Amino acid sequence: MVELGDPNPMLVIDSLHVRVQDRDILDGLSLSVGLGEVHAIMGPNGSGKSTLAQVLAGRDGYEVTAGRIEFLGEDLLALTPEERAHAGLFLAFQYPIEIPGVNNAYLLKAALNAQRHARGEPELDAFEFMRVIKDNMKLMQIHEDFLSRSVNTGFSGGEKKRNEILQMLTLEPRLAVLDETDSGLDVDALKIVANGINSLRDPQRSMILVTHYERLLELVKPDHVHVLAHGKIVRSGDHTLARELDERGYEWIEQEAQSA
Amino acid sequence: MTPEQLHTQLAARIAELPGGTTVAAAREAAFAAFARQGFPTRKQEAWHYTDLKRISDAELDLFPTAPDAADPAALLRAAGVDSDAAALVFVDGFLVANFAAEVLGDGVDISSLGESLETLGPLVAAETLRGQPLAALNVAFARHGVRIGVPAGTEVEAPIHLLFVSQSARPQACQPQIAIDVGANARADVAIHYAGGPSCSGWVNALTRIALDTGAHLKLTRIQDYGPAQTHTELTDAQLAADAALNIMMIDVGGALVRNDLHVRLSEPGANCELAGLLLCAEGQHVDNHVVVDHLAAHTTSEQRFRSIIGAHGRGVFSGKVSVHKGTRAISADQASNNLLLAATAEINTKPELEIYADDVKCSHGATVGELDDSHLFYLRSRGMAEAAARGLLTLAFAKALFTESPWPGIDDRIVEKFGLALPEDIGWSPST
Ligand SMILES: Nc1ncnc2c1ncn2[C@@H]1O[C@H](COP(=O)(O)OP(=O)(O)OP(=O)(O)O)[C@@H](O)[C@H]1O
Ligand SMILES: [Mg+2]
């Protein structure tokens, strides 16, 4: 695992403390993700997994009271949400937001071009854009009708999740944080989503998968598995830890952590 | 202007007004109705938020002068109307171009107000003017306007555009009158545009009287796009017979002080109206939409969907009243008022009012007042969109949620200009298509 100052890290979180509405949610969380690595974060409901994801993406209202986050050597917390996206961070939301009146394809194209613009790359016209997303839509088995609908509006739970992955495939981030993208998916949709995620695996790209289920981790094999409880990582291991958690639950780890 | 002063103007020049002696008698009667009530004041509940002092205290000429010159083609272009549309163009009240006959042929009767008053007599019944002093004033002074008569069974596909432009900077008041009569099972599509330049600070007091016969269908788009100094008041009064359907979209962009009264009477079973409005209000503007729907018969339905976007120091008002009369049943009435405030100094007063004197009524109403949704903004920004562009896009989307198809080509640009919105770099793709 990488440390602060590592010559080649993707993400280094050092002793992060986060307060939400006068409650301390994250309490000294540290985590390092190297280039090309896939990390899974598991943990009981309410332990702070989505809080971590939102803080990484820069959501207002989450107060970082102590700690640092470095993303590709930059101070992540100093960046606006859009600058984080431009730098290559992507968050797939646990609950994707419905935005009536904003066309799905329009959002995708505007987002892609905003990012290309920020990186000094030429913007894509409508024709080039369609070529880019056509394959991605096929991979995610999203019908073309969805492009002309309002963002996530009236989409089923599973459709929203596949739409998040479509966005990820189109934006090609350096670090993808997927917050329970597998929750609420049927078996076939889970495979589709896993295929989408795997298609993006690359030695230069890293992923953090927040999940409650070992099922996803059988399809997308993580390099590391962490347990988040009481606001920090209380245990880390390889993919076999996920199976153990699936069988034994979290109580034993929380007890060990408390007595430690 | 006191009623006495106004009557002096009327008496001196009543012979110049069209319609002969019968209409002259109706003018005097209407004026008397106005004089009895006077200009509305804020003491009246229906005018609680809107002060007409800038009109009642002004010295205005109720007999506008004819324009020296007018370029109807350019005016239509500026109003976003196609050059080959069935259009009538009025400047300072005066009809300067009529392209409707050649486009529509003989199927539709489109006559100037003057001609119609001569042949048909008064177009507005006295009872329509009850409690409407400004409409009564219009009837007293009405000189220009149009009557559209669609014979029974006729379907007029091409939209008929009526463009009323304020051009003169003189302190004058226009009283345009529009009468739309759609016969049994006939269909028509009418767009009324009000526009004017930045130096126009006069008053337009319009009256639109609509009668839909059994099974008739009217789509009415009404766009107000004045410069920043205009005062505009209007009454749109519609009466619907059995199974008639009225679909109205009203858009308010400009004006200093604007008051729109919309009164729909669903008089016979099966009548249905869908009323929608978009109100845009920025610094120094006051725009008031006042809607009343009367359910007078069984199986009548109404829907009101009004949205406003208010910028810094803008002031909007919406009051929507639904009145379900005694002895009716199987009524359905929905009302929604959604308001987006773009600044702390933006103001909206929204008031639903239900008067229900029957059972078996399905009524819903909801009002929202707020800023852009934080979670929407964050989602767009997390995808890389700049904050200003995300705000621009969401503001536009808020307005567009009213439309299934764009009601007017100018709408996006007006919203963007009016509130100085930024949009994502490539606005080539329309967010709602
Ligand atoms: N905006 C907020 N306002 C108030 N409390 C919040 C807010 N966001 C998170 N919390 C609280 O912080 C705690 C952690 O929430 P978080 O969503 O991060 O948990 P999680 O680990 O993602 O849970 P789950 O597995 O159920 O998704 C919870 O107790 C939650 O109620
Ligand atoms: Mg969560």
Side-chain angles (χ1 to χ4, degrees):
Chain A
M1 283 233 267
V2 286
E3 303 287 329
L4 272 181
D6 188 293
N8 215 12
M10 178 64 72
L11 180 77
V12 183
I13 303 172
D14 182 35
S15 190
L16 186 68
H17 290 70
V18 173
R19 183 174 294 166
V20 184
Q21 297 193 338
D22 295 331
R23 256 187 69 204
D24 293 317
I25 306 296
L26 297 184
D27 180 27
L29 182 142
S30 295
L31 175 71
S32 300
V33 177
L35 289 185
E37 292 177 357
V38 173
H39 290 236
I41 297 183
M42 307 182 81
N45 292 132
S47 58
K49 303 181 297 296
S50 293
T51 300
L52 173 64
Q54 300 278 323
V55 168
L56 288 172
R59 173 93 208 228
D60 270 354
Y62 293 79
E63 189 196 347
V64 176
T65 52
R68 289 178 43 78
I69 307 179
E70 258 180 31
F71 175 53
L72 290 167
E74 265 193 278
D75 177 6
L76 186 75
L77 296 175
L79 304 180
T80 63
E82 54 271 35
E83 288 168 339
R84 298 178 195 206
H86 300 163
L89 183 83
F90 178 87
L91 168 63
F93 285 62
Q94 181 174 1
Y95 305 107
I97 309 291
E98 299 190 7
I99 312 184
V102 174
N103 171 289
N104 210 26
Y106 180 88
L107 165 61
L108 263 178
K109 180 161 173 271
L112 181 58
N113 277 338
Q115 297 200 14
R116 292 178 65 93
H117 184 81
R119 291 193 293 260
E121 296 163 9
E123 291 167 30
L124 301 184
D125 64 24
F127 182 75
E128 295 164 322
F129 169 72
M130 278 313 289
R131 214 177 38 208
V132 168
I133 62 165
K134 224 168 182 148
D135 291 340
N136 295 339
M137 286 178 47
K138 201 178 278 171
L139 188 60
M140 293 321 294
Q141 300 191 16
I142 288 178
H143 194 266
E144 254 185 67
D145 291 353
F146 280 73
L147 287 180
S148 57
R149 286 170 59 179
S150 289
V151 176
N152 291 325
T153 310
F155 290 20
S156 77
E159 288 164 352
K160 286 180 184 170
K161 297 299 181 77
R162 278 189 281 146
N163 199 40
E164 294 287 286
I165 300 302
L166 172 67
Q167 294 180 5
M168 177 185 81
L169 295 177
T170 305
L171 297 172
E172 299 185 307
R174 295 293 306 278
L175 173 66
V177 180
L178 309 184
D179 191 358
E180 292 200 31
T181 302
D182 56 332
S183 291
L185 294 182
D186 66 36
V187 189
D188 295 330
L190 182 69
K191 278 189 191 137
I192 293 168
V193 161
N195 278 343
I197 298 171
N198 282 327
S199 77
L200 219 57
R201 279 186 89 156
D202 178 297
Q204 289 303 311
R205 189 172 282 137
S206 311
M207 295 183 185
I208 297 175
L209 310 177
V210 173
T211 181
H212 286 295
Y213 306 106
E214 200 240 340
R215 272 189 326 170
L216 174 71
L217 304 180
E218 276 173 10
L219 299 169
V220 183
K221 203 161 164 209
D223 301 299
H224 302 277
V225 175
H226 310 277
V227 177
L228 203 172
H230 307 296
K232 42 166 110 43
I233 303 289
V234 292
R235 177 175 292 240
S236 299
D238 63 12
H239 68 274
T240 56
L241 177 58
R243 171 151 312 155
E244 202 174 351
L245 292 168
D246 210 35
E247 282 158 11
R248 297 178 62 191
Y250 293 110
E251 217 170 310
W252 61 282
I253 291 185
E254 289 184 286
Q255 274 164 8
E256 278 184 27
Q258 250 147 37
S259 58
Chain B
M1 294 181 290
T2 63
E4 292 71 32
Q5 288 167 332
L6 287 167
H7 193 256
T8 307
Q9 288 195 35
L10 180 64
R13 297 179 69 176
I14 195 164
E16 293 172 35
L17 298 174
T21 48
T22 342
V23 174
R27 290 180 188 279
E28 286 289 0
F31 190 85
F34 163 73
R36 263 197 312 278
Q37 303 169 76
F39 282 103
T41 69
R42 292 192 49 197
K43 292 203 185 91
Q44 287 152 266
E45 204 196 333
W47 289 83
H48 182 66
Y49 295 107
T50 299
D51 195 337
L52 265 190
K53 268 210 178 73
R54 60 181 282 149
I55 292 304
S56 56
D57 287 356
E59 298 293 330
L60 299 173
D61 189 347
L62 278 272
F63 286 82
T65 37
D68 299 332
D71 181 351
L75 294 173
L76 285 171
R77 210 176 315 124
V81 180
D82 286 344
S83 56
D84 56 354
L88 283 78
V89 182
F90 300 81
V91 175
D92 295 330
F94 292 81
L95 179 64
V96 297
N98 182 349
F99 304 117
E102 57 190 278
V103 179
L104 298 172
D106 296 338
V108 191
D109 173 29
I110 298 188
S111 313
S112 73
L113 185 74
E115 288 163 15
S116 304
L117 291 174
E118 301 287 350
T119 54
L120 302 173
L123 299 176
V124 181
E127 65 175 47
T128 303
L129 307 177
R130 198 175 304 138
Q132 299 286 356
L134 299 178
L137 193 68
N138 173 291
V139 169
F141 283 90
R143 182 175 181 185
H144 302 292
V146 63
R147 176 182 174 269
I148 299 173
V150 184
T154 306
E155 291 199 9
V156 188
E157 297 225 341
I160 302 167
H161 291 269
L162 311 175
L163 171 59
F164 292 87
V165 181
S166 298
Q167 192 169 281
S168 169
R170 279 185 81 230
Q172 58 189 18
C174 284
Q175 314 288 319
Q177 197 176 105
I178 301 160
I180 304 172
D181 295 301
V182 186
N185 301 314
R187 248 170 197 276
D189 182 345
V190 176
I192 304 174
H193 305 253
Y194 297 102
S199 61
C200 298
S201 57
W203 177 31
V204 172
N205 177 42
L207 174 55
T208 301
R209 199 271 292 132
I210 296 167
L212 305 187
D213 207 339
T214 308
H217 196 293
L218 174 68
K219 178 179 167 205
L220 177 68
T221 309
R222 173 233 163 254
I223 288 151
Q224 179 275 103
D225 185 29
Y226 288 116
Q230 181 80 43
T231 300
H232 177 93
T233 54
E234 72 175 47
L235 169 65
T236 301
D237 180 278
Q239 167 130 345
L240 276 66
D243 300 322
L246 173 66
N247 194 310
I248 293 186
M249 171 63 67
M250 39 199 303
I251 295 176
D252 282 278
V253 179
L257 175 64
V258 177
R259 161 72 176 223
N260 304 309
D261 276 272
L262 174 55
H263 187 185
V264 178
R265 278 166 289 137
L266 305 169
S267 301
E268 293 180 6
N272 156 254
C273 68
E274 290 176 17
L275 314 174
L278 175 64
L279 184 161
L280 309 176
C281 214
E283 174 119 35
Q285 288 185 274
H286 179 107
V287 184
D288 178 352
N289 276 334
H290 191 86
V291 182
V292 178
V293 176
D294 276 313
H295 287 264
L296 297 154
H299 297 283
T300 50
T301 59
S302 68
E303 185 186 87
Q304 298 177 39
R305 293 183 304 130
F306 284 79
R307 292 194 161 220
S308 70
I309 304 177
I310 318 279
H313 301 287
R315 217 164 159 222
V317 182
F318 171 73
S319 77
K321 179 166 162 182
V322 172
S323 189
V324 178
H325 291 244
K326 236 186 238 153
T328 58
R329 62 193 172 77
I331 304 293
S332 152
D334 294 317
Q335 183 189 83
S337 160
N338 302 104
N339 306 283
L340 175 59
L341 304 182
L342 298 181
T345 54
E347 197 181 324
I348 179 80
N349 291 287
T350 176
K351 190 176 97 180
E353 207 182 324
L354 299 175
E355 271 183 9
I356 299 178
Y357 299 108
D359 309 324
D360 191 12
V361 172
K362 259 202 349 242
C363 258
S364 75
H365 66 89
T368 61
V369 175
E371 302 163 32
L372 290 175
D373 190 322
D374 268 347
S375 69
H376 292 180
L377 273 172
F378 177 61
Y379 191 76
L380 295 180
R381 294 177 72 190
S382 78
R383 292 333 184 214
M385 215 177 269
E387 182 178 1
R391 284 186 183 281
L393 187 59
L394 290 172
T395 304
L396 208 50
F398 174 84
K400 292 186 149 205
L402 267 184
F403 316 133
T404 45
E405 59 188 84
S406 176
W408 179 46
I411 188 66
D412 284 25
D413 288 348
R414 290 301 192 285
I415 298 172
V416 167
E417 279 163 28
K418 191 164 184 72
F419 301 111
L421 302 181
L423 287 173
E425 319 285 342
D426 54 339
I427 191 63
W429 286 31
S430 171
S432 69
T433 53

